[in-house]
Structure formats: structure tokens, C-alpha cells
Amino acid sequence: QGEWGTDEKGLFNILCCSPVEHLENINSSYVDKYGYSLSKAIEKELDGLIQEAALYHLNMKLKPFETMAGQIKKACAGFGSDEFALTSHIIRFQQVLSDVNAAHEEMYEKTIVDRIESEVGGDYLKLLRTIVEYSI
């Protein structure tokens, strides 16, 4: 921050190696010193896929259920659903889907089941609905 260029290697080392508590403390100190969060700093300093990867990794540590809910929504965004991404997220997050569903409902005012029912149909819908309902 405040220097010319960004030390991406150092940033990713901190993001990947730091436990959640350490990142929370860094984020809090960063807000105190600069007036905005690490997320905002990453948005200012990085772009493209590197920015997306850094934000994803940071948010998976600082607010995992909200990040997972956002990934499910993203898989359903736009024209047509990314069925591979949607299936991957539902399966990958299955163990914590109850918490993800609560975050999804708070953030988007609809459950994950509501979202998938509005996006897919047929046997694929039945399969995803069964997985989600069993998990929550």
C-alpha cells in the first residue's frame, strides 16, 4: 500500500499461510491504518483473475459462508446456468450447506432451493434439490 507496484507473491503468501485469526487481525489493523479493508485494498491494487483469486481466498477465510453463497449465485447468473459450477459448489459445500443456505437467504432473500428451482429443471433439478434438502 502506498508504494509503486504490488508484491503479489508476498500478498498470496500471507493469504495462503495465515490462519483466520491472523487475517482478521491484519484486516482490522489495515482498516485502522488506511481506513478501508483488505478487500478494498486488493480491489485497488490488483485486477483481472489475480484480483478475483485474491478476493476469493481472502473471503473464504474471513466470511466463508457468504463467499460460498455468492459462488452459488454466480453459477446461476446471466443467461443460463453454469451447471458444472453449480453442481461443483453444491457437492463441494455439502457439509456446510446449512450455514451457506442461511447466508444465501440473508444476502439474496431466497433459499438455495429457491434459486436452483428458478434456474434448472427435470431430473437435474430433482437431484440438486435432494442433495440440498438432505444437507440443510
Side-chain angles (χ1 to χ4, degrees):
Q1 181 65 40
E3 303 281 324
W4 184 260
T6 302
D7 179 8
E8 287 96 353
K9 184 177 178 182
L11 174 65
F12 276 99
N13 189 35
I14 290 169
L15 291 176
C16 293
C17 297
S18 297
V20 173
E21 300 80 20
H22 186 67
L23 275 178
E24 288 170 343
N25 290 334
I26 291 172
N27 191 51
S28 178
S29 296
Y30 204 90
V31 169
D32 291 344
K33 184 171 182 176
Y34 295 107
Y36 51 89
S37 68
L38 284 174
S39 293
K40 188 54 122 177
I42 288 170
E43 289 173 3
K44 291 175 122 184
E45 294 291 322
L46 303 174
D47 58 14
L49 293 176
I50 292 175
Q51 179 191 71
E52 189 176 330
L55 287 171
Y56 177 78
H57 199 80
L58 176 66
N59 290 332
M60 280 298 285
K61 286 193 171 187
L62 296 182
K63 46 185 182 177
F65 304 127
E66 293 85 351
T67 303
M68 293 175 201
Q71 291 297 305
I72 291 170
K73 181 181 186 296
K74 182 178 176 183
C76 297
F79 183 72
S81 298
D82 182 343
E83 292 180 355
F84 178 77
L86 181 58
T87 304
S88 297
H89 296 320
I90 297 295
I91 299 302
R92 180 176 177 210
F93 307 146
Q94 187 176 5
Q95 298 299 316
V96 293
L97 246 144
S98 181
D99 293 318
V100 175
N101 188 60
H104 190 282
E105 197 165 5
E106 184 176 317
M107 293 167 64
Y108 306 116
E109 299 180 355
K110 62 168 46 176
T111 67
I112 293 171
V113 171
D114 294 336
R115 179 163 309 279
I116 61 175
E117 286 177 340
S118 69
E119 294 291 329
V120 300
D123 290 338
Y124 181 56
L125 169 61
K126 291 177 191 172
L127 174 66
L128 288 183
R129 185 188 308 131
T130 300
I131 294 168
V132 171
E133 288 175 346
Y134 178 78
S135 300
I136 58 174

